[in-house]
Amino acid sequence: MTPPPVLALRRADKRFPGVIACDGIDFALRAGEVHALLGENGAGKSTVVGLLAGTQRPDGGAVCLDGTPLARHSPALALARGIGVVTQHSVLVPTMTVAENMLLGGAWWQSPARASAARQFRDACAGFGIAIDPNALAGSLSPGAQLQGEIIRALRRKGRVLILDEPTSPLGPAASAHLLAHLRWLCDSGLAILLITHRLDEALDVADRVTVLRRGKVTGSLDPADLAATPRDVLTAQIRAMMFGVTPVTPVTPVTPVTLGQAGAQGHGTIAGQRWIPACAGMTRLHVAGLTCNTLTGIDFSIAQGEILGVAGIDGNGQTALAETLAGHSQHSTGQILLDGTPLDGLRVAARHARGVRYLSDDRIGEGTVGALPVALNLLLKRIGAAPFWRFGMHREAAISEHAARAIADFDIRVPQPWARLATLSGGNMQKVMLARELDGAARLIIYHKPTIGLDARSADAVQQRIRQAAATGCASLLISADLDELLLLSHRIGVLDQGRIAGIVANGPGARVRIATLMTQ
Amino acid sequence: MTGLGSGAFLGQFAAGSLTAAMPLLLGGLGEQLSERAGVLNVGIEGMMLAGAYAGFAVAYSTGGLWPGLLAGAAAGALVALPMLLLCVRWALDQVVVGIALTLGVQGLTALLHHFAFSTSYPRLPAPELWLGRFPLDYAALAMCLGLAGLYRHTLLGLHLHAAGERPVALDMAGISVSRLRGAAVLATGGLAGLGGAYLSEVSAGVFVPFMTNGAGFICIVLAMLARGRPLLVLGGALLFGVSLSSATALQLLGVDVPSDVVQMLPFAVVMLLLVVLGGGRLPAALGVAYRRGDR
């Protein structure tokens, strides 16, 4: 009889406001195995980690240790039970030395044995084949080194389970390969390892068992026999299907496939074959060449009139930098941005706004609107002081009300009256206020950053409809989204951002999902 | 203007400065402890005032200064208890709760004083001295060194540092952030109450409504300027002691400026210090409530 799994989730549910992060998940870690957990953004991977680590409490179901459901679980109990966790974001105290960080958690009256902790840490590093100065402040280390430090701390406790959430993201290829080889060696000594990643090859290189999550549910799992028996390319295709739910995709707007002549002449090697352009298309509106800043490298693309270019990618691969660099929030970039042939470089937000650049932030409440101001003023937030709404520094209520009434009617904003405070609106209506503000007649380039995040299906529908309508008037649209379905629904072409570079641009159409999935998981 | 340079006057002046500094030192050490753990204790003014009233009332009714000091510390901790519940357990805004506590205690102590002492305004006898000073002075100096040692040479010190900088790191290391912060808040209340009791029992010998008169806020400034170093709190407290004492001395010497101007001196020093020394780094998680698993 096989022993029960060391650590398991049994029908675990976890809900957050508006999201079901885990929906009846069954998942087990066994001694001596590397278990890879795969899934795209928001699939529920980090919630699984939180449940196992004791930072999240399940709403239903149980966390089991050696087959027994745990009545109580917390980070302290997890440590006592031999569960070591390395989370996605560093949890070292940046203002303490690495050695001091290693000492956290001991009995409070003890004297911190800094020298011996430093010595132990240095030895452990040597055993791992890396070199990190234990007396350096943790905050001065690179993200990769911080992560390695945390792994060493987790191993130092000699536990039974090691949980690693996206450990290879901050590491370069060589360090990643080194870590994975080391994991293999560790689990051969009897440790149960949970490896979370979005890179398929890594998972297949090292894992004994694979589980795939999608939207909070287990959509598939592969046991050691499956992994051994199936060729790599078949496995990859199977897993991608589980991760992204491959279903036939039909673009919703009537679009005409046009063989790409113009774009080829503009010298864009990344655009291959066909692209889908609405009937009104033709001229290039936005042309970006060699755009580089501290998180972006050599971004090249162009968007035609009426075209929607989607941007896919795992969060944190440069999406925010791309949006803010184009909108003018961040000025520290090199390369060229041409809007209708005129350079935008060096222009600040207001000047770009005047030239028709519009930006819908993903931070609706913090950055996009002012909750304490009335809806009518939020609709004019980027035109404060401009005629005809303001004259001689005084605002003209009649003009502002009239403008608001028109926007409220046009965009179907559900609000009792134009002077109601914006904070009283639902997320969907807030988003409509932002859309109404940005999609005025003068818009030429619109940057949408996760436009439907946190919205219910109906509001999301309405927003997507607007995005399409705005494109139909000839605006160039850049649609950054973590939701692949949304990108496939709206975009003519979809680029994949990976570590600040464009890994490729795919024309929407049959097979696009698979090609995007491939680019995202390479 | 006689006797300005005389030894007797200088001795008086120094003693007065030290006596004025002591409540600030105790409160400042408390506030520093709380801030180190990541809790901005704006209620410290109220905690000091509660300590001042309870200390005076107990000392007056029992006739002993020491039971009074103990009662003062207990009263400070009692006022800190709602802060613990509201800000540490339930993650409410620390500044709002702190101000509410201060206002509440101001009203309550003024009311209690009105019923108990407003007709008689009793005074306590001058405290007995030991080697020329009140014995608690030596204890406070020792505490200053003790806390410096605790911050540097115990794991508790490291844990407090982590709670103020990166509470999630502490939580993941298996130490309860809310328990540690809660203990720090209570200890702060105790120290602040002790400082308040010192103010009414030793410095003044009498309780007057609102008598802390901003001392708690000066403690907050001291703690922020001193960052994690208790000895800097001592230095700052002495500086304020000197400026408070010189406000009195200038009046005694009959310097012809309005008393309001003289009484502004300590606060002018606060602002000057903030301009000269401010702008440094405070703990990253200061004032931010910690809730496990927030996202």
Side-chain angles (χ1 to χ4, degrees), chain A residues 61-333:
Chain A
V63 182
C64 300
L65 186 74
D66 293 319
T68 324
L70 300 174
R72 292 177 61 232
H73 202 38
S74 71
L77 289 171
L79 280 179
R81 287 162 176 160
I83 303 166
V85 185
V86 178
T87 50
Q88 201 173 355
H89 304 287
S90 163
V91 292
L92 297 178
V93 182
T95 49
M96 296 189 343
T97 67
V98 178
E100 284 173 334
N101 267 290
M102 298 298 132
L103 289 165
L104 286 180
W108 64 269
W109 60 86
Q110 282 174 356
S111 163
R114 292 184 173 83
S116 78
R119 204 173 334 104
Q120 277 175 19
F121 182 80
R122 209 176 305 231
D123 292 347
C125 277
F128 209 82
I130 52 177
I132 298 172
D133 177 11
N135 297 316
L137 287 183
S140 71
L141 300 179
S142 71
Q146 291 190 29
L147 177 106
Q148 289 168 327
E150 287 195 69
I151 293 176
I152 284 170
R153 176 168 66 174
L155 290 174
R156 201 177 61 104
R157 301 185 204 262
K158 305 210 188 328
R160 306 170 59 200
V161 178
L162 178 64
I163 298 175
L164 301 169
D165 192 355
E166 295 276 6
T168 54
S169 296
L171 297 176
S176 292
H178 184 84
L179 170 66
L180 295 175
H182 204 80
L183 289 186
R184 203 52 263 168
W185 178 81
L186 280 170
C187 90
D188 289 341
S189 69
L191 199 64
I193 296 178
L194 168 58
L195 173 71
I196 290 184
T197 177
H198 63 271
R199 296 198 177 111
L200 265 185
D201 279 330
E202 273 176 21
L204 292 175
D205 281 344
V206 71
D208 299 296
R209 205 178 277 276
V210 171
T211 296
V212 181
L213 291 183
R214 175 171 160 78
R215 294 184 182 165
K217 287 193 164 120
V218 174
T219 50
S221 52
L222 299 165
D223 61 23
D226 295 332
L227 290 175
T230 325
R232 172 67 71 104
D233 50 337
V234 178
L235 277 177
T236 315
Q238 275 182 1
I239 294 175
R240 282 199 180 117
M242 298 173 196
M243 278 173 80
F244 296 96
V246 178
T247 46
V249 177
T250 38
V252 174
T253 23
V255 291
T256 328
V258 171
T259 313
L260 188 70
Q262 311 100 306
Q266 288 152 12
H268 288 277
T270 43
I271 305 164
Q274 289 190 324
R275 73 172 171 181
W276 300 60
I277 304 178
C280 68
M283 300 287 290
T284 300
R285 274 235 114 125
L286 177 73
H287 178 79
V288 174
L291 189 65
T292 301
C293 67
N294 52 4
T295 42
L296 298 174
T297 323
I299 301 284
D300 293 314
F301 64 85
S302 53
I303 310 179
Q305 274 182 347
E307 189 186 31
I308 302 177
L309 176 68
V311 177
I314 307 290
D315 274 353
N317 273 297
Q319 286 92 333
T320 304
L322 179 61
E324 296 194 340
T325 309
L326 290 178
H329 293 229
S330 102
Q331 296 279 329
H332 307 283
S333 60

Side-chain angles (χ1 to χ4, degrees), chain A residues 90-91 95 105 108 110 114, chain B residues 152 155-156 159 161 165-166 169:
Chain A
S90 163
V91 292
T95 49
W108 64 269
Q110 282 174 356
R114 292 184 173 83
Chain B
R152 176 79 196 141
L155 279 180
L156 179 61
H159 290 167
H161 181 165
E165 284 292 339
R166 204 84 205 272

